[in-house]
Amino acid sequence: MASKATAQPLSLKIASGAFLAFWCVLAAFPIAWIAVMSVKSPRDAFAASAWDVITGPVTRDSGNGLSFIDIALGLTFLFFAVRWAFTRLPRMVEQFSPPGFIVLGWLVGSAVYGILFVLIFFGVLPSVFGALNSIAGPLGTPILGLTTEHYVAVWAENQFYRNFMNSMIVTAGVVTISLTVGTLAGYGLARSGSNLAFWLLILALVFRALPHSVLVAGYLPWFINSAEILRPIFGDLSPTLYGQPWAVIAVLVSINQPFTIWMLRSFFQNIPSELDEAARVDGCSHFQAFRRVIMPVMWPGVITTGLFSFLLGYNDFLVTALLLDAQNQTMVPAIAGYFNRETTTTDQVEAVAAAVSITAPLFLLVMVFQRQIVSGLTAGAVKG
Amino acid sequence: MKFKTFFWFVAPSVFMMLLFIAAPLVSVFIQSFQITQPVMQQIEVETCTPGFLTQTCTTEIKTVPVIDGETGRTQTTTAWVGLQSYKNVLQMDKFWAAIGSGNWGDILQIDFWKALRFTLMYTLVTLPLVVGVGLMIALAVNNAAKVLRGPVIFVSLLPFIITPVIGALSIYWLFVGDGILTAMLERWLDRDIAMFAQAWTIELLIYFYRVWHVAPFAFVIFYAGLQTVNMDTLESAIIDGANRFERLRYVIVPHLMPLIIFIALIHLMDCYRAFDEIIGFRSEAYVTSLQWLTFDFLTPDDAGNRAISRAAASAMLTMIGIVFLLILPLRRTWRDHKGGAH
């Protein structure tokens, strides 16, 4: 709609463009900057001059540098790897996964791709580039300091992979259970016009507002003493809930329920009720109608809601920090451990590397699911 | 849908919410009037140190916890103490003393009131900023060329999905010590700056963090709302001679009003439980929030004790606050619902 009346003066266009550019820099800068810091030696990472942080002279002089050839070839490889992931990989997944197991196929496919990528990028390429650099003369001299030592320290020496595994367990549990429970409830609420449904939704809204610390204050005494409290019921098998990942999963699922059912309810309301009524006329019960008619068409809404459940489980600090012990700690509270012993600058850069490691999966997530996040947010809000 | 079917559909979800949200609430409420302490006993201990000719022995009376013979744990008793825990958290004596002496500033030396002041101000100051910045980004993106919109939305979403603690940390690292931005400010203002040595600079950074973190959320919602603005209304406004600002003020903003209320509601809920930013900015010594206060009570101290009853009291006080904050928007929803029903 570009009629003459709505056409904008140049100054407004420039101002709006400039503001947008400013916002993008503002949004990306802190995240991009910690990514840069994490691959420099401590002196470079906390250097006062921005140029030193980017080029990393100290890192370079200590023998961890990239030459012009490294950068050019590395970027080319990255470009093709990413393009391959978005073009050929989906086709291969669809071709090789048995029908009905497409989700499993994707999981296996992306895991294999990730392992191959790490092996080639960090295992094969450095030695190839090393050989190239030695014969290339001036093009082969390092110009950019870059080191992965902090990542190695974080993941291998500090056993961050354990925290990663715990995070994955908690997050996977939260997503699956809260979707299973939430889809049923969301469907029931969407199809029932009763007053009870309205009051349940309002109650859920109130629960949504509760600060999590209030709830955790309620769990903690019970969880610590649960073995004794449950003894009369379960005997000696009664578990101490404190420190158990599955107890945390149950807690996070419940905290997440209000949001999940609100969101899924609005999705189910968009699915015309004639669809399940037709199935009912054909003799299905409500559950059969749900399974055979609604389930095949509900995935877009479920995926979006699942993304938000993922974010909640993955990003949580308060609940996991208080209810899990050190052995079962997830990634986000584990990073707090770095502050406490952050005495040297090396520790600080390791903390930065850990932070970037936590952010990377989220980054991938937005890349793949951007459309779903946006449409989900808008569908949930606009339809109310 | 029959009630029975409806019941079975919502039962698992309602059961979980009752067990893990409603039940803990009741439990916290009860605990806030109780106090659980180890049973102490006084025993006489004789300590002897080697001395010349004879040992030097001293007897003293020590207070030690009673150990349960069977389990090897300390015995505890639970007693009803009424409002004692609330008094411990609120520290009303100090509060009245501060008012009595006329030093109003002293109130903010007390942990609870300090946290309350910050939490409320934080919630209310960032609210208009989030709505304003979100709206501005939405308008600007709506104005931009179609090719640019995808990448811009991608970049904009990053601050929103990033783990809150990490987001706060990433800003913290830009300013800590002689961090890159502190160094830049120092060069520009030609003076020494320590961003984390006084409360107000930390507080400003936390405000900035919150707007940075939540504005993308507001932006996405507003952006979707802008797609459904009625073009006919907009054109008739143009014909009526409304300028750009008037069109925004009288056509677009009223159209977005339900969304603005939605954002405000979510923001009130989320901002009031500010917690991750306190951890991320490590501002415990200067700026704390109500939720952090409860967290602090719940964290075991050096002796391994958790101040559960004080945590419960502070949690209940936090709850009262959120009820007050939400009562206005909820009343509005209620009136809308009733109005819609008639």
Side-chain angles (χ1 to χ4, degrees):
Chain A
M1 270 267 317
S3 68
K4 201 166 185 186
T6 51
Q8 294 172 332
L10 190 65
S11 60
L12 187 69
K13 273 186 189 164
I14 291 176
S16 132
F19 172 74
L20 209 57
F22 174 70
W23 160 250
C24 285
V25 171
L26 203 65
F29 181 73
I31 302 168
W33 198 253
I34 59 169
V36 171
M37 277 168 80
S38 69
V39 290
K40 307 292 169 182
S41 73
R43 262 184 68 194
D44 283 331
F46 287 97
S49 127
W51 184 245
D52 279 356
V53 183
I54 294 174
T55 54
V58 180
T59 323
R60 186 185 60 208
D61 294 343
S62 64
N64 296 304
L66 290 181
S67 68
F68 181 76
I69 294 183
D70 293 333
I71 298 171
L73 289 182
L75 284 181
T76 323
F77 174 77
L78 257 185
F79 174 76
F80 282 108
V82 170
R83 231 185 73 173
W84 193 83
F86 278 94
T87 52
R88 295 290 298 282
L89 188 66
R91 256 181 270 158
M92 279 178 71
V93 166
E94 274 162 35
Q95 199 181 338
F96 287 110
S97 52
F101 288 95
I102 192 82
V103 178
L104 198 71
W106 267 110
L107 284 179
V108 173
S110 38
V112 168
Y113 179 79
I115 292 171
L116 270 183
F117 180 82
V118 170
L119 276 184
I120 296 179
F121 200 74
F122 295 103
V124 180
L125 284 192
S127 46
V128 175
F129 287 169
L132 276 178
N133 282 336
S134 56
I135 52 167
L139 282 181
T141 48
I143 49 169
L144 190 74
L146 190 128
T147 169
T148 49
E149 59 182 293
H150 307 296
Y151 287 97
V152 175
V154 166
W155 282 84
E157 286 163 32
N158 299 341
Q159 305 195 317
F160 204 60
Y161 62 90
R162 287 180 182 220
N163 304 115
F164 179 76
M165 286 309 294
N166 289 323
S167 267
M168 284 302 123
I169 292 171
V170 169
T171 318
V174 169
V175 172
T176 34
I177 299 177
S178 82
L179 285 184
T180 319
V181 175
T183 338
L184 289 173
Y187 176 72
L189 289 168
R191 289 292 181 262
S192 159
S194 65
N195 265 337
L196 183 67
F198 172 78
W199 283 112
L200 271 181
L201 284 168
I202 291 295
L203 189 71
L205 193 70
V206 175
F207 283 166
R208 164 77 172 71
L210 289 181
H212 301 165
S213 64
V214 177
L215 302 174
V216 177
Y219 304 134
L220 210 52
W222 298 101
F223 275 27
I224 292 174
N225 299 320
S226 67
E228 277 146 50
I229 296 166
L230 292 176
R231 185 150 314 204
I233 312 172
F234 296 114
D236 285 339
L237 287 173
S238 51
T240 298
L241 291 174
Y242 174 77
Q244 299 286 348
W246 55 266
V248 169
I249 291 175
V251 167
L252 285 174
V253 166
S254 317
I255 290 179
N256 197 23
Q257 268 308 295
F259 179 76
T260 313
I261 60 178
W262 265 92
M263 198 140 166
L264 284 169
R265 174 183 156 269
S266 60
F267 273 112
F268 282 122
Q269 277 183 332
N270 288 347
I271 299 177
S273 60
E274 283 81 8
L275 219 57
D276 32 331
E277 271 160 27
R280 298 262 292 144
V281 170
D282 289 348
C284 285
S285 74
H286 261 296
F287 281 97
Q288 280 170 329
F290 176 74
R291 201 165 63 83
R292 289 163 194 242
V293 181
I294 300 298
M295 268 179 74
V297 294
M298 73 180 186
W299 292 112
V302 170
I303 288 175
T304 313
T305 319
L307 282 171
F308 283 95
S309 310
F310 181 94
L311 286 183
L312 180 113
Y314 191 82
N315 287 347
D316 177 82
F317 181 94
L318 183 78
V319 176
T320 41
L322 283 173
L323 294 184
L324 286 177
D325 47 22
Q327 293 164 339
N328 292 320
Q329 204 54 277
T330 53
M331 285 199 280
V332 179
I335 205 173
Y338 283 93
F339 315 156
N340 300 336
R341 54 192 188 101
E342 202 179 75
T343 44
T344 63
T345 41
T346 312
D347 282 337
Q348 288 200 31
V349 184
E350 281 181 15
V352 176
V356 176
S357 308
I358 296 176
T359 314
L362 291 175
F363 191 81
L364 282 179
L365 202 74
V366 192
M367 236 164 151
V368 178
F369 290 110
Q370 180 188 349
R371 203 173 291 272
Q372 272 84 0
I373 294 179
V374 173
S375 72
L377 274 177
T378 52
V382 179
K383 300 283 169 358
Chain B
M1 189 183 273
K2 269 190 257 141
F3 175 75
K4 208 175 156 192
T5 346
F6 173 68
F7 173 80
W8 284 114
F9 268 112
V10 295
S13 169
V14 171
F15 171 74
M16 290 202 84
M17 286 199 283
L18 289 183
L19 183 65
F20 286 106
I21 300 182
L25 268 186
V26 178
S27 155
V28 170
F29 183 70
I30 296 172
Q31 274 167 30
S32 67
F33 299 109
Q34 288 179 332
I35 189 159
T36 304
Q37 282 173 324
V39 183
M40 296 303 214
Q41 61 180 359
Q42 294 193 321
I43 51 170
E44 222 168 74
V45 187
E46 191 179 33
T47 29
C48 294
T49 42
F52 186 60
L53 291 180
T54 54
Q55 290 181 328
T56 327
C57 284
T58 47
T59 28
E60 53 182 344
I61 292 174
K62 273 191 178 172
T63 315
V64 292
V66 181
I67 308 286
D68 194 318
E70 273 176 43
T71 57
R73 294 189 187 180
T74 49
Q75 283 182 356
T76 53
T77 50
T78 304
W80 290 89
V81 289
L83 294 173
Q84 188 57 47
S85 300
Y86 289 92
K87 279 183 198 145
N88 287 345
V89 173
L90 288 173
Q91 304 194 346
M92 288 313 273
D93 46 340
K94 281 194 196 169
F95 179 80
W96 291 119
I99 289 189
S101 64
N103 294 328
W104 293 77
D106 286 358
I107 296 175
L108 298 181
Q109 303 293 322
I110 309 168
D111 284 346
F112 176 80
W113 299 101
K114 189 167 111 183
L116 181 71
R117 201 271 317 160
F118 169 73
T119 311
L120 285 182
M121 209 168 130
Y122 183 49
T123 312
L124 298 176
V125 167
T126 50
L127 178 63
L129 285 174
V130 164
V131 171
V133 173
L135 190 60
M136 272 163 76
I137 304 170
L139 288 171
V141 171
N142 208 28
N143 227 351
K146 281 232 161 57
V147 216
L148 285 178
R149 288 184 195 178
V152 169
I153 292 176
F154 173 72
V155 173
S156 302
L157 277 176
L158 288 179
F160 172 59
I161 54 107
I162 194 174
T163 312
V165 178
I166 307 290
L169 271 174
S170 67
I171 294 174
Y172 172 82
W173 278 318
L174 292 180
F175 286 99
V176 68
D178 273 331
I180 193 73
L181 290 186
T182 313
M184 219 177 261
L185 276 177
E186 279 175 347
R187 228 168 298 148
W188 184 40
L189 298 173
D190 203 20
R191 50 173 291 198
D192 205 31
I193 296 174
M195 288 303 268
F196 294 93
Q198 60 278 324
W200 68 270
T201 40
I202 302 178
E203 213 170 310
L204 277 184
L205 279 182
I206 297 182
Y207 289 159
F208 169 77
Y209 157 75
R210 180 50 82 158
V211 176
W212 178 77
H213 176 58
V214 190
F217 172 68
F219 145 63
V220 171
I221 304 271
F222 289 148
Y223 178 66
L226 282 180
Q227 308 308 312
T228 58
V229 170
N230 189 339
M231 280 320 211
D232 293 340
T233 325
L234 212 54
E235 266 179 35
S236 27
I238 296 172
I239 293 169
D240 288 349
N243 64 25
R244 218 164 280 283
F245 179 75
E246 282 167 339
R247 266 177 273 156
L248 182 68
R249 170 79 185 72
Y250 295 106
V251 179
I252 294 178
V253 169
H255 174 75
L256 294 179
M257 209 56 203
L259 300 182
I260 293 178
I261 290 172
F262 169 77
I263 299 275
L265 199 68
I266 296 275
H267 184 79
L268 282 183
M269 291 177 182
D270 288 349
C271 203
Y272 186 73
R273 42 177 186 226
F275 170 75
D276 299 45
E277 40 274 64
I278 307 291
I279 299 283
F281 282 104
R282 271 167 267 179
S283 64
E284 292 91 344
Y286 300 100
V287 182
T288 58
S289 71
L290 285 175
Q291 185 149 232
W292 186 85
L293 203 66
T294 315
F295 175 83
D296 192 38
F297 286 135
L298 286 176
T299 320
D301 60 11
D302 291 339
N305 296 319
R306 300 168 196 259
I308 302 263
S309 49
R310 256 182 298 162
S314 117
M316 285 321 283
L317 290 168
T318 313
M319 274 236 354
I320 296 173
I322 192 75
V323 169
F324 272 113
L325 273 184
L326 285 182
I327 217 157
L328 276 178
L330 276 183
R331 260 184 62 187
R332 202 194 147 98
T333 323
W334 171 238
R335 240 183 280 144
D336 286 354
H337 172 70
K338 277 184 89 175
H342 284 297

